[in-house]
Amino acid sequence: MAKAARIEAIELEMARTQKNKATMYHLCQLKAQLAQLKRQEIEAQMGGGGGGGDGWDVKATGDARVGLIGFPSVGKSTLLTKMTGTHSEAADYEFTTLTCIPGIIRYKGAKIQLLDLPGIIEGAKDGKGRGKRVIGTARTCTLILLVLDASKPVTHKKL
C-alpha cells in the first residue's frame, strides 16, 4: 500500500473510531503510525541532498553566525521570519520549533547567518527539552542573542 493511501486509511480509521477510555490505546497507536508515515513522506520529498543531519547540523555560511536563544514562545521564530524572510513556523503553543532553522541577513555587504533555536527550559544543561543539542548548536555561534518577552513573568527574566 502506498504511503499516501496508508495515511488516508489511518485518518479514516481515526475518524470512525469512537473516543473513549476503551479505544484510547488504539487511537494513540494510530496517531504514532500516522506521524511516522508523514515524517517519512516529508523526508522523501526533501530528497537525499543537503549533507545529511537531522536539522541540527546546519552548515555555517556568511561572515558571522548569530543564535537566537530564549524561553519557549518569546518570538524567536517571528524575529527570524521578519528579519530574513525565511519561514519559521510560529504558533500559540510552546515548542513550535523543534530543530535549528537558519536564515541569512545581508547588512552593509556582510552575510550574517541567523539560527532560530528551539526554546530552552530550566534543566537544559542536563538534556531536558533537547537542551544539550540547543546548547551545542549555540556554542558554534559567533554571537548569542538572548530573546525575552517583556510580558512574561519575572521568573523568566531572572537568569
Side-chain angles (χ1 to χ4, degrees):
M1 186 181 266
K3 283 185 185 163
R6 182 78 178 124
I7 288 172
E8 189 175 321
I10 290 172
E11 288 174 341
L12 182 63
E13 174 75 17
M14 287 174 65
R16 284 186 301 169
T17 304
Q18 232 179 8
K19 292 179 183 156
N20 59 46
K21 196 185 286 187
T23 61
M24 191 53 63
Y25 179 78
H26 178 66
L27 285 171
C28 289
Q29 291 293 325
L30 290 173
K31 282 183 184 181
Q33 289 175 9
L34 184 64
Q36 182 180 19
L37 287 170
K38 284 185 176 183
R39 189 178 324 112
Q40 289 172 355
E41 194 173 69
I42 290 170
E43 287 172 359
Q45 288 174 355
M46 295 182 108
D54 56 355
W56 294 94
D57 302 326
V58 178
K59 183 181 176 190
T61 59
D63 301 315
R65 194 171 194 185
V66 178
L68 301 176
I69 285 209
F71 294 108
S73 298
V74 294
K76 299 178 298 293
S77 297
T78 304
L79 184 63
L80 177 86
T81 300
K82 295 290 183 187
M83 291 181 76
T84 66
T86 303
H87 176 71
S88 181
E89 187 178 345
D92 290 337
Y93 54 90
E94 293 185 344
F95 298 108
T96 309
T97 305
L98 298 175
T99 61
C100 178
I101 300 174
I104 297 286
I105 298 175
R106 298 187 194 297
Y107 181 74
K108 293 186 179 181
K111 282 175 54 177
I112 302 168
Q113 183 181 38
L114 270 180
L115 299 179
D116 179 15
L117 298 168
I120 69 171
I121 56 176
E122 192 173 332
K125 67 178 179 64
D126 300 321
K128 207 171 171 191
R130 298 185 182 184
K132 287 187 177 182
R133 284 186 151 185
V134 173
I135 292 169
T137 303
R139 285 183 177 172
T140 66
C141 296
T142 311
L143 174 76
I144 296 174
L145 183 65
L146 186 61
V147 182
L148 296 174
D149 185 354
S151 66
K152 295 282 182 178
V154 178
T155 56
H156 276 199
K157 296 172 195 159
K158 292 181 182 177
L159 298 173

